[in-house]
Amino acid sequence: MESLKRELNRYSPGGKLPSSRALIERYHVSPVTVSRALAHLAAEGLVTTRPGAGSFRAQPRAEARPPGDTSWQEVTLSADASPDAVPRSVDASGVLVTLAVPPPGVIEFNGGYLHPSLQPEHAMAAALARAGRRPGAWGRPPIEGIPELRAWFARSIGDACTAADVLVTSGGQSALTTALRALAPPGAPVLVESPTYPGMLAIARAAGLRPVPVPMDSDGTRPDLLEAAFRATGARVVVCQPLFQNPTGAVLSAARRPEVLRIARAAGAFVIEDDFARRLIHAGAGPVPAPLAADDPDGVVVHVSSLTKATSPSLRVGVLAARGPVMERLRAIHVVDSFFVPRPLQEAALELVGAPAWSRHLRAVSEELRTRRNAMTAALGTTLPELALPHIPSGGYHLWLRLPDSTDEQAVISAALRAGVAVVAGRPYFSAEPPAAHLRMSFASVAGTAEIAEGVRRLRTACDEVFG
């Protein structure tokens, strides 16, 4: 691509470039490589392609128009500053930091997805190819999702759940957004674990809701504080992650599971269960508890899960599962927001989870996550013993570390980036003032254990800079 870009001045605007066959022979590359290079140049506006005719140098771009005056927007966007208005500004920094790609050479301990080497790329490609050949694969799907995929998700939730209780969504984030909008009006309180997933806090604030923290410990949400929070706020929704909670990695204990449901039922409230990490259990962890939704005959739980975390950030297929009249409201908001999830993506997801490669993939990820978790905990214990690790998770993809008292969290983040490693600050995980400074470090988004060791070594350099 760079070579072709340098050669473009040889051709007048509208002039024809060498044929794809000639470029293949010149550069000794595949047809796919040539087509991708030309596609990049076309996207930059340097080349135009005409099917059957070839590729041509694009006409010069017209001079850019002077920028307009957008300063008027400050007045309009500040309309929510009035006392009775629901705030509409949203801090998405906690989400963006896990989505951003670090600069070249920086080790990615801030990622929120599996490294490409852990993603089932060949299985997904084969599933997508098979799905595209299914009769009607490009037609309009049922609003709730294709029946076979809904049935598969229902079986994964539990025997009490049926396909009729399931709504296919565009990933877990979309499902959480729909659930919060359906269950709480603007201005209402919503109870959240503390700490918790920043993406959910951003959703709540974007919907004009007031997140109220409920502290947790190594056994998950504390029922006594949950009950007190319901009494104090009158909230009708609590959001929790009972399995491998983000960021702590905690699992809601067997004794607390029925207590959480009982307390919510007594308050006339819904429990939004974000079951994001069920398919990321570490090898040797033993059996995991069923979803809360599996033990909920009264429709207290609105269950959220997806395939994204265990596959690829681009396989955005998730579900909402609920019982009773609430399903109609969830369905209505889902339809208004997005109509439906594209059928080819649903068909591909169904092909993927129905193939023998699916169980092999989950086993391989389970083994690799355990290996990486052990490598990171060992490296931290040896190299950075002053960072406290209160809980070693048996599932998920990250560790939650407490920094020494009085540490400037942001100073550590900045120094780490200068040292060549990206880590996530703990502050965005708290809906109120945090009790201490924290870091969240992902072991799934890097290339392997060697990169983990190098990343921890770089973090040691950063901490030496900050701690003096």
Side-chain angles (χ1 to χ4, degrees):
M1 183 188 70
E2 294 297 335
S3 176
L4 289 174
K5 189 182 293 187
R6 288 191 295 270
E7 292 183 7
L8 282 178
N9 287 333
R10 297 183 185 178
Y11 306 92
S12 59
K16 187 174 182 179
L17 275 63
S19 68
S20 293
R21 179 174 295 179
L23 294 175
I24 291 167
E25 293 175 354
R26 181 196 302 180
Y27 293 105
H28 304 290
V29 294
S30 72
V32 173
T33 300
V34 168
S35 64
R36 289 183 66 182
L38 292 172
H40 277 293
L41 295 176
E44 292 184 29
L46 301 175
V47 167
T48 59
T49 58
R50 302 174 199 162
S55 301
F56 303 82
R57 181 181 175 185
Q59 297 292 333
R61 297 177 182 176
E63 290 188 14
R65 292 185 297 175
D69 179 10
T70 60
S71 58
W72 64 273
Q73 294 183 4
E74 294 185 44
V75 178
T76 300
L77 293 174
S78 66
D80 57 14
S82 62
D84 299 328
V86 175
R88 292 180 292 166
S89 58
V90 179
D91 179 8
S93 58
V95 182
L96 293 174
V97 72
T98 62
L99 297 176
V101 177
V106 173
I107 293 176
E108 189 175 359
F109 283 165
N110 64 326
Y113 299 101
L114 297 179
H115 187 268
S117 64
L118 297 179
Q119 296 174 20
E121 290 187 350
H122 293 299
M124 289 189 295
L128 189 60
R130 293 194 301 270
R133 295 192 294 269
R134 284 187 170 202
W138 294 91
R140 182 176 60 195
I143 296 298
E144 299 84 356
I146 59 177
E148 300 89 344
L149 185 59
R150 294 166 66 201
W152 183 86
F153 273 112
R155 289 193 299 273
S156 70
I157 294 169
D159 294 339
C161 186
T162 69
D165 303 323
V166 171
L167 177 69
V168 179
T169 67
S170 297
Q173 188 78 356
S174 173
L176 285 171
T177 300
T178 297
L180 281 171
R181 287 185 57 202
L183 302 178
V190 56
L191 306 187
V192 301
E193 295 170 323
S194 182
T196 191
Y197 166 51
M200 187 275 298
L201 294 176
I203 293 168
R205 288 168 177 144
L209 305 177
R210 294 187 292 110
V212 177
V214 179
M216 56 185 302
D217 57 25
S218 58
D219 287 329
T221 301
R222 289 181 51 182
D224 57 332
L225 297 181
L226 177 64
E227 195 164 23
F230 273 125
R231 284 198 306 267
T233 64
R236 293 294 179 263
V237 179
V238 57
V239 185
C240 66
Q241 294 177 326
L243 188 65
F244 312 137
Q245 196 259 359
N246 181 9
T248 65
V251 176
L252 186 64
S253 69
R256 291 184 181 182
R257 287 166 58 88
E259 277 292 283
V260 168
L261 294 182
R262 179 192 64 77
I263 291 167
R265 180 70 181 86
F270 287 99
V271 176
I272 299 177
E273 176 187 26
D274 182 8
D275 199 24
F276 76 103
R278 181 161 296 274
R279 297 172 183 88
L280 298 179
I281 183 172
H282 300 169
V288 297
L292 291 179
D295 303 316
D296 171 43
D298 298 331
V300 174
V301 178
V302 174
H303 177 89
V304 173
S305 64
S306 83
L307 296 175
T308 306
K309 290 296 186 184
T311 55
S312 160
S314 290
L315 188 62
R316 305 209 63 77
V317 175
V319 291
L320 281 164
R323 299 187 184 95
V326 69
M327 176 53 85
E328 182 55 35
R329 185 178 294 186
L330 293 168
R331 178 180 179 274
I333 291 180
H334 169 69
V335 170
V336 168
D337 281 350
S338 57
F339 286 6
F340 48 76
V341 177
R343 183 158 195 151
L345 197 58
Q346 293 191 57
E347 298 279 7
L350 186 61
E351 287 280 356
L352 177 65
V353 299
W358 176 242
S359 58
R360 292 197 299 269
H361 165 67
L362 293 182
R363 287 195 299 271
V365 168
S366 177
E367 291 283 352
E368 186 63 22
L369 289 179
R370 177 177 64 175
T371 299
R372 291 171 178 225
R373 177 205 64 193
N374 291 345
M376 182 172 278
T377 54
L380 288 168
T382 302
T383 309
L384 283 162
E386 63 266 54
L387 303 190
L389 178 59
H391 178 71
I392 298 177
S394 56
Y397 55 90
H398 58 267
L399 300 179
W400 180 242
L401 300 158
R402 178 167 173 156
L403 292 167
D405 292 343
S406 304
T407 298
D408 184 338
E409 189 178 273
Q410 195 53 52
V412 174
I413 301 297
S414 300
L417 199 57
R418 289 193 296 272
V421 59
V423 293
V424 179
R427 178 64 185 88
Y429 290 80
F430 293 90
S431 59
E433 290 76 12
H438 292 81
L439 298 179
R440 199 197 76 155
M441 294 173 54
S442 169
F443 46 79
S445 53
V446 293
T449 55
E451 197 163 73
I452 288 173
E454 174 60 18
V456 172
R457 186 194 66 77
R458 295 181 186 184
L459 185 58
R460 171 76 271 174
T461 301
C463 288
D464 287 343
E465 176 186 331
V466 175
F467 300 159

